[in-house]
Short mmCIF file of all heavy atoms in Angstrom, two decimals:
data_model
loop_
_atom_site.label_atom_id
_atom_site.label_comp_id
_atom_site.label_asym_id
_atom_site.label_seq_id
_atom_site.Cartn_x
_atom_site.Cartn_y
_atom_site.Cartn_z
N ALA Q 51 -11.69 58.08 24.19
CA ALA Q 51 -11.99 57.15 25.28
C ALA Q 51 -10.89 57.08 26.33
O ALA Q 51 -11.09 56.49 27.39
CB ALA Q 51 -12.25 55.75 24.72
N SER Q 52 -9.74 57.69 26.07
CA SER Q 52 -8.68 57.68 27.09
C SER Q 52 -9.13 58.44 28.33
O SER Q 52 -8.57 58.27 29.41
CB SER Q 52 -7.39 58.29 26.54
OG SER Q 52 -7.55 59.68 26.27
N ALA Q 53 -10.17 59.26 28.18
CA ALA Q 53 -10.72 59.97 29.35
C ALA Q 53 -11.29 59.00 30.37
O ALA Q 53 -11.47 59.35 31.54
CB ALA Q 53 -11.80 60.94 28.89
N LEU Q 54 -11.59 57.77 29.94
CA LEU Q 54 -12.17 56.79 30.85
C LEU Q 54 -11.11 56.10 31.71
O LEU Q 54 -11.46 55.28 32.56
CB LEU Q 54 -12.95 55.74 30.05
CG LEU Q 54 -14.04 56.27 29.11
CD1 LEU Q 54 -14.78 55.12 28.45
CD2 LEU Q 54 -15.01 57.17 29.86
N LYS Q 55 -9.84 56.42 31.49
CA LYS Q 55 -8.78 55.79 32.27
C LYS Q 55 -8.87 56.10 33.76
O LYS Q 55 -8.35 55.36 34.60
CB LYS Q 55 -7.41 56.23 31.74
CG LYS Q 55 -7.04 55.64 30.39
CD LYS Q 55 -5.67 56.12 29.95
CE LYS Q 55 -5.28 55.52 28.60
NZ LYS Q 55 -3.95 56.03 28.14
N ARG Q 56 -9.55 57.20 34.08
CA ARG Q 56 -9.66 57.56 35.50
C ARG Q 56 -10.64 56.64 36.24
O ARG Q 56 -10.70 56.67 37.46
CB ARG Q 56 -10.10 59.01 35.64
CG ARG Q 56 -11.45 59.33 35.03
CD ARG Q 56 -11.72 60.84 35.08
NE ARG Q 56 -12.93 61.23 34.39
CZ ARG Q 56 -14.13 61.31 34.97
NH1 ARG Q 56 -14.26 61.01 36.24
NH2 ARG Q 56 -15.18 61.69 34.26
N TYR Q 57 -11.37 55.85 35.49
CA TYR Q 57 -12.30 54.90 36.11
C TYR Q 57 -11.59 53.59 36.40
O TYR Q 57 -10.76 53.13 35.61
CB TYR Q 57 -13.50 54.63 35.19
CG TYR Q 57 -14.43 55.80 35.02
CD1 TYR Q 57 -14.17 56.79 34.06
CD2 TYR Q 57 -15.58 55.92 35.79
CE1 TYR Q 57 -15.03 57.87 33.90
CE2 TYR Q 57 -16.45 57.00 35.62
CZ TYR Q 57 -16.17 57.96 34.68
OH TYR Q 57 -17.01 59.03 34.52
N GLU Q 58 -11.92 52.97 37.52
CA GLU Q 58 -11.39 51.65 37.83
C GLU Q 58 -12.02 50.59 36.92
O GLU Q 58 -11.35 49.76 36.35
CB GLU Q 58 -11.68 51.31 39.31
CG GLU Q 58 -10.90 52.15 40.30
CD GLU Q 58 -9.41 51.87 40.25
OE1 GLU Q 58 -9.04 50.70 40.00
OE2 GLU Q 58 -8.62 52.82 40.45
N PRO Q 60 -14.99 51.19 34.22
CA PRO Q 60 -16.05 51.99 33.62
C PRO Q 60 -17.10 51.13 32.93
O PRO Q 60 -16.78 50.23 32.15
CB PRO Q 60 -15.30 52.85 32.60
CG PRO Q 60 -14.08 52.03 32.25
CD PRO Q 60 -13.71 51.29 33.50
#
Side-chain angles (χ1 to χ4, degrees):
S52 67
L54 305 183
K55 289 180 179 178
R56 61 187 174 91
Y57 291 84
E58 292 293 326

